[in-house]
Amino acid sequence: MTRTAPANLKSNDQCWCGSGRKYKRCHKGSEGRVRPGRVSPMLTVPDGIVPTDYYLTGRPARRDEPMVKSPEIIEAMRRACRIAAEVLAVTGEAVAPGITTDDLDRISHQAYIDRGAYPSTLNYHGYPKSICTSVNEVICHGIPDDRPLEDGDIVNIDVTAYIGGVHGDCNATFLVGEVDPESRRLVEVTRECRDLGIAAVKPGRPLSDIGRAIQGHAEVHGYGVVRTFVGHGIGEQFHLPPNVPHYFTESASTMMKPGMTFTVEPMITLGSWREKMWDNGWTAVTSDGRRTAQFEHTLVVTEDGAEVLTEL
Ligand code: MF3
Ligand code: CO
Ligand code: CO
């Protein structure tokens, strides 16, 4: 399909895409952008997979849960996190031009089930799929659909597994075919940002050290750091305190303590760090349509740093 307008096309001409609508009411200004596709019906999990409390209702029950976990919970999280990392690897292997994000969702769904895990995103506040797939300018929470990946795209796959009463959460950005050098650099630096954020984890230090490290590295490269979406506590619940901002803010004053579990998951942008939301209520895209990448790990704070739980 053509992705660029003929150079001479005027606002009031018929759109090049064949919709029959005026160019200005159709593709003008959004050539080359990702557009919402068709979302297939929600998948189910078989008996024998222990579901979350929101599988049938779409509403997670809020419970009191300490930020510092017991050794039993941490041990359970090691398993959930390892499974999440495996599902991410299996799904990432399938990334190639022509495969749809819905295909990736189905592959991941089976990979969770094969390992006895429930896909944490499934019906989480009504979210309809087993992973998030965020292409090019999509910052996060892209919903898998019938859009085939194109040569030159970048796609983030975000996997969260629930097993043994706890969640494990990780994501990575993958290259589709031949990707331009500017985007490849963005992906590489974003991974470095995540890893520098994790290297800043130390008991007795405030969480703001993490964002300071990430923002510093991003800005050296002239990149933006998304502010609206942050890392989060994780354990028996998918998202809970503390918030983990990926930019520096004094307000992230919670002190890190051994046994705390949370994610570090910076979203880094080539241009503006501001987002716009799609009408589906989930998907965030950069306000200027430029590309963005993300990497995520779940970790536990140790006596002298961090143990990454979602590493294979
Ligand atoms: N896995 C995402 C995170 O890193 C959250 C996805 S929630 C969903 O926090 F509902 F959008 F799937
Ligand atoms: Co997360
Ligand atoms: Co995630």
Side-chain angles (χ1 to χ4, degrees):
M1 186 182 76
T2 326
R3 296 210 292 148
T4 45
N8 52 0
L9 202 62
K10 300 283 189 307
S11 291
N12 286 318
D13 292 347
Q14 285 215 339
C15 192
W16 51 265
C17 76
S19 66
R21 306 200 310 162
K22 286 184 178 180
Y23 178 44
K24 69 177 180 194
R25 300 245 170 271
C26 194
H27 274 90
K28 191 166 189 287
S30 67
E31 275 99 356
R33 302 282 172 91
V34 177
R35 297 163 64 85
R38 195 182 300 272
V39 178
S40 63
M42 215 184 265
L43 298 174
T44 57
V45 294
D47 295 344
I49 301 288
V50 178
T52 55
D53 60 19
Y54 49 81
Y55 177 43
L56 297 177
T57 64
R59 292 170 187 278
R62 284 231 176 274
R63 284 169 296 115
D64 264 330
E65 181 175 344
M67 291 193 283
V68 174
K69 311 304 186 198
S70 69
E72 293 71 30
I73 291 290
I74 293 169
E75 194 50 38
M77 287 184 69
R78 286 196 179 92
R79 178 161 69 128
C81 287
R82 159 159 280 274
I83 288 172
E86 288 174 2
V87 172
L88 178 59
V90 167
T91 309
E93 281 290 316
V95 167
I99 193 165
T100 69
T101 49
D102 192 49
D103 294 332
L104 295 177
D105 181 71
R106 232 171 316 98
I107 290 165
S108 75
H109 189 80
Q110 190 58 49
Y112 290 100
I113 290 169
D114 289 345
R115 291 161 178 78
Y118 176 91
S120 303
T121 58
L122 193 64
N123 212 20
Y124 183 67
H125 294 290
Y127 185 85
K129 292 289 159 191
S130 300
I131 50 175
C132 300
T133 51
S134 301
V135 176
N136 297 345
E137 72 270 21
V138 178
I139 294 170
C140 63
H141 305 164
I143 300 174
D145 65 19
D146 65 353
R147 180 189 183 280
L149 294 175
E150 296 177 10
D151 188 53
D153 283 346
I154 58 174
V155 59
N156 179 276
I157 300 175
D158 193 331
V159 168
T160 315
Y162 178 77
I163 186 169
V166 298
H167 300 268
D169 189 8
C170 55
N171 74 47
T173 302
F174 297 88
L175 308 178
V176 184
E178 280 298 313
V179 171
D180 67 90
E182 185 184 51
S183 301
R184 288 208 308 264
R185 187 89 190 115
L186 170 69
V187 170
E188 194 178 318
V189 170
T190 302
R191 183 198 287 276
E192 291 166 4
C193 282
R194 191 238 354 234
D195 293 343
L196 287 168
I198 292 171
V201 172
K202 286 266 180 310
R205 294 292 310 168
L207 283 168
S208 59
D209 280 8
I210 298 170
R212 183 194 277 114
I214 291 169
Q215 184 174 13
H217 191 58
E219 287 180 355
V220 163
H221 292 272
Y223 296 154
V225 179
V226 170
R227 302 172 75 101
T228 301
F229 302 94
V230 297
H232 51 91
I234 181 168
E236 297 177 84
Q237 298 172 89
F238 193 169
H239 295 103
L240 73 150
N243 276 347
V244 183
H246 303 111
Y247 55 95
F248 176 75
T249 168
E250 245 171 37
S251 68
S253 58
T254 301
M255 288 295 168
M256 294 184 258
K257 287 190 187 63
M260 269 187 186
T261 54
F262 54 82
T263 70
V264 175
E265 49 179 304
M267 289 140 274
I268 304 297
T269 61
L270 282 179
S272 174
W273 52 264
R274 294 181 188 278
E275 82 281 354
K276 289 189 299 198
M277 295 298 293
W278 278 2
D279 292 340
N280 66 20
W282 283 106
T283 304
V285 296
T286 56
S287 60
D288 58 6
R290 298 192 68 196
R291 287 184 172 194
T292 172
Q294 183 180 21
F295 284 87
E296 174 175 29
H297 272 316
T298 296
L299 60 82
V300 56
V301 180
T302 62
E303 294 300 328
D304 58 358
E307 176 187 342
V308 175
L309 301 178
T310 41
E311 213 151 49
L312 283 182

